[in-house]
Structures are given as C-alpha cells and as structure tokens.
Amino acid sequence: MVHGTLTPVFVGLRTGLHVLSAALLALVVVRIVVEGGATAPLAGVLAGAFAVVYLLGAVVARGAPGRRAVAGPLWVGGLSVVWVALMVLVPEAAYLVFPLFFLYLHVLPRIVGPTAVVVATLVAVVALGVHGGFTLGGVVGPLVGAGVALLIGLGYRALAREAVEREALLAELIATRDRLAATEREQGVLAERARLAREIHDTVAQGLSSIQMLLHAAERADGDRPGTEHIRLARETAADGLADTRRFIRELAPPTLDQGLGAALRRLADQQWTRDGLAVSVAVSDDGLPMDVETALLRIAQGAVANAVQHAAPSQVDVTVTVDGREARLTVVDDGVGFDPVTSGDDVAASDSFGLRAMAERVEQFGGRLDVDSAPGRGTTVTAVLEVP
C-alpha cells in the first residue's frame, strides 16, 4: 500500500467495503435463521465459509507483491464459488455481488476485473430471476451496482496512480533537498577553510616570517659570538614552520572550480605539486560533475598527493579522474618508496595516517569507497570511487 496523503482515502474505501460485506452477509444469515427449512444448516455452513474465505483476504493483502499476484485471483475465485453455492440456497445472497464487484476490480488484472464484474452481474440477475421471477428491479439493480462499481474502481485506480506519482515526486524533492543541504554544508566548509587560511596567513605565517627575519638579522650582526648556532637552529626551525604553514594555507584555500575540476587540478600541478623534480600529470575525462563531487575529488587528490610528497619521495605522480555512469573514479598513482598496508592497518578509516582517515571520511559522505594499493619499493595507488547524484 502506498503511504502518503491519500492513504486515509484508501483506508476509508477498504473499511467501507468490509462494512458492506459484513452487513450483506448478516442479512443472509438473518434470512437463513428466519426462514429455516431443510437447507438451513447447509446454507449456514456456506455463509460461514464465505466469511472465513473473505477474512483470508487480509492474509493475502499483507503478503509480498509476488505472492499477492498469485494468491489474490485464487482467493477471489474461491470466494465466488462459495457465493454461487450460497446463492442457490438463499436468494438474498445475490446482493453479496456488490462487494465482489470491488474485489474483482481491485484484485484481478485490468481486463479480467471488468469481465468478472459483467459475468457476476449476469449470474446475480439469473439467480434472482430463478428464485423470484425476472423483475425490473431484479435486473436493473445488479446492472446499476455494476456500473457504480466500475466507476468507483476506475477512480480508485486513478487515485492509486496519483499516489504513486506523488510519492515518487516527494522522494525526488527530498533527495534534491538533501543534495542542496549537502552542497550548502560543503560551501560553508569551504568558506570556513578560506577564512582559516586568511587568519593563518595574517597571524601565524606573518609571525613566523618576522621571527625568521629577526633571527637572521641577529645571526648576521655577530656571527662569531657564543650561541650563534642556537640562533641559526631557531631560524631554520622557524623557516621550516613557515614552509609548513604556507602548505597548510594552500591546502585550505584550493584553486577555484569555476573552470572545472580538470583546470583546478592542473593549476595545483603547475603551481604547488611540481617542485623539487616532481612531475605530475593530470587527466580528467569529464568536467560536468556536481560541484560537491568535484570539491570532494579535489580534496582527496590534494590529500593523496600531499601524502605521496611527504612520505614516499616520488619522482612521478599521475592523477586521473574518470566517470562511468553514476560513479566518479579518482586514481592517484606515485612511483615512490611505497609501504606495507598490512603493517599499517588494512582499515583505511582506522589508519594512523590523518590524511588517509580524512580521505576515507570524505569518500564515505558520498557512499563511495577508498582503496589503497601499495608495497615497499613499488609505489602507491590510491583509488577513490564516489557516487554521483
């Protein structure tokens, strides 16, 4: 059953059908008790059988769709057989055809349902005619009931289709809202990272630069006095800290993605990654990815290349981005010293490397996967696969 704004309508229609069936069956039972006769016990048994078979429909309705497709017609067929047998003994049982109309239209396939309604109408008219003679009311009543049932059945199916379409539209709207929320969060994160980059540049980086300059001046003023080696060591330490700080600033404020992921990666390769003899190649097959996916791929590529530069001492790094249907694949291959994934931990998310953990967490946000293939002496391959909304 489709759950949504139209669910109360469907529940009301089904409840009304059950009430109608119970009332008409009660009328038949009263007729059996009042009239009595030799056939009363058999009629009572058939009335009870009709009630039991009808209640079995609740079990059928709760089954799986495949089960309902097979058991539904069998259930309606059995109910019809009991109804015909009961109608032979009790003429008032002909009125049970009205709830059967709705069951035929609801359970049986499209063309079979209306055909069953027509056949049941003819059977009811003949039964009433055999028992009490053919009258205008005995003919028109079932015909009118069949027409009303067909109209209500068509309306029910139209409502069901509308409910399915509405649920699909609602699911799409919710998915779009979630994507927008994720994009807004990502943009907020980027804005905050840019702010942090500016703050670090204006405070820590400037302070380290000033300390380095002052220590260099003190070293030049009197290079032979005692303690000069400590000043030189402090200056070199400040210079290393300044270099690390500038690297952090570059990673916090990546190149803009306005011209696509490929252009951003190539700018990183030209301006930041290619130094000290390191060659970086970039190949991107598709720049038409959503902004949040491109941002994630850019961050993962930054982390993978940074890990390679810091720990693997490579001479060549290849960055490749390919798109296959709903998946975007980023591959970063370096020819560095490599490492043993077994001793480093098979679980990337639980790795001691902060860079690997950060990449794994970002991949997980997109329902993707991160694989690291490496061995001592043969480099490292980092593969990130992200789902494209």
Side-chain angles (χ1 to χ4, degrees):
M1 183 183 69
V2 178
H3 295 275
T5 56
L6 292 178
T7 298
V9 177
F10 299 142
V11 172
L13 289 173
R14 283 192 296 272
T15 302
L17 175 62
H18 299 330
V19 171
L20 176 62
S21 301
L24 293 175
L25 186 59
L27 175 64
V28 173
V29 172
V30 170
R31 172 68 171 76
I32 295 172
V33 173
V34 172
E35 294 295 330
T39 60
L42 179 58
V45 171
L46 290 174
F50 186 92
V52 171
V53 175
Y54 187 91
L55 291 175
L56 288 177
V59 179
V60 174
R62 287 197 298 266
R67 177 184 172 187
R68 289 200 302 267
V70 176
L74 294 177
W75 167 60
V76 172
L79 198 61
S80 301
V81 171
V82 177
W83 166 65
V84 172
L86 182 60
M87 193 167 45
V88 171
L89 301 177
V90 184
E92 284 78 7
Y95 297 116
L96 287 171
V97 73
F98 297 119
L100 287 175
F101 287 157
F102 298 103
L103 293 179
Y104 293 149
L105 294 173
H106 180 65
V107 175
L108 299 178
R110 291 189 176 182
I111 190 62
V112 179
T115 302
V117 169
V118 173
V119 173
T121 303
L122 296 177
V123 172
V125 170
V126 171
L128 289 173
V130 170
H131 280 289
F134 290 94
T135 63
L136 181 62
V139 175
V140 174
L143 290 176
V144 172
V148 172
L150 287 172
L151 291 176
I152 295 177
L154 292 175
Y156 183 92
R157 288 184 175 178
L159 285 175
R161 286 195 300 271
E162 181 181 349
V164 172
E165 293 173 357
R166 185 174 297 182
E167 288 297 314
L169 178 60
L170 181 61
E172 183 178 352
L173 289 175
I174 292 175
T176 302
R177 182 197 64 185
D178 293 341
R179 288 197 296 269
L180 289 175
T183 301
E184 290 178 357
R185 287 194 298 270
E186 184 68 27
Q187 293 300 322
V189 170
L190 292 177
E192 180 63 16
R193 292 171 72 98
R195 186 189 68 81
L196 289 175
R198 292 193 299 269
E199 292 292 335
I200 294 174
H201 177 271
D202 295 341
T203 56
V204 179
Q206 295 295 342
L208 288 173
S209 179
S210 300
I211 291 172
Q212 182 186 9
M213 292 176 60
L214 291 173
L215 291 174
H216 188 63
E219 184 182 1
R220 285 186 303 175
D222 189 357
D224 297 328
R225 67 180 179 181
T228 301
E229 65 276 8
H230 299 298
I231 296 176
R232 182 180 300 107
L233 178 60
R235 177 180 60 78
E236 293 173 351
T237 301
D240 293 339
L242 180 59
D244 290 337
T245 302
R246 286 172 175 169
R247 178 172 58 83
F248 295 151
I249 293 172
R250 288 194 299 268
E251 293 178 356
L252 284 171
T256 177
L257 288 166
D258 291 343
Q259 297 179 357
L261 177 62
L265 288 172
R266 293 184 186 94
R267 281 196 297 272
L268 280 173
D270 295 339
Q271 300 173 9
Q272 298 182 21
W273 293 339
T274 304
R275 59 179 185 274
D276 299 330
L278 175 64
V280 180
S281 67
V282 175
V284 178
S285 65
D286 190 350
D287 273 337
L289 296 172
M291 179 63 70
D292 54 345
V293 176
E294 289 191 342
T295 302
L297 292 174
L298 179 63
R299 292 298 187 187
I300 296 169
Q302 281 185 288
V305 175
N307 276 353
V309 171
Q310 293 175 21
H311 305 296
S315 60
Q316 175 72 36
V317 176
D318 299 321
V319 181
T320 306
V321 178
T322 58
V323 180
D324 182 11
R326 302 285 302 256
E327 287 187 345
R329 180 183 298 269
L330 167 68
T331 305
V332 180
V333 182
D334 69 73
D335 61 354
V337 297
F339 65 96
D340 186 358
V342 175
T343 59
S344 300
D346 293 332
D347 188 359
V348 175
S351 171
D352 292 335
S353 171
F354 176 80
L356 286 178
R357 289 202 310 272
M359 286 187 284
E361 291 171 359
R362 190 174 292 275
V363 169
E364 186 178 355
Q365 293 176 355
F366 287 83
R369 62 184 184 275
L370 180 68
D371 298 322
V372 180
D373 181 22
S374 183
R378 69 171 181 85
T380 302
T381 300
V382 177
T383 303
V385 180
L386 274 61
E387 293 186 1
V388 180

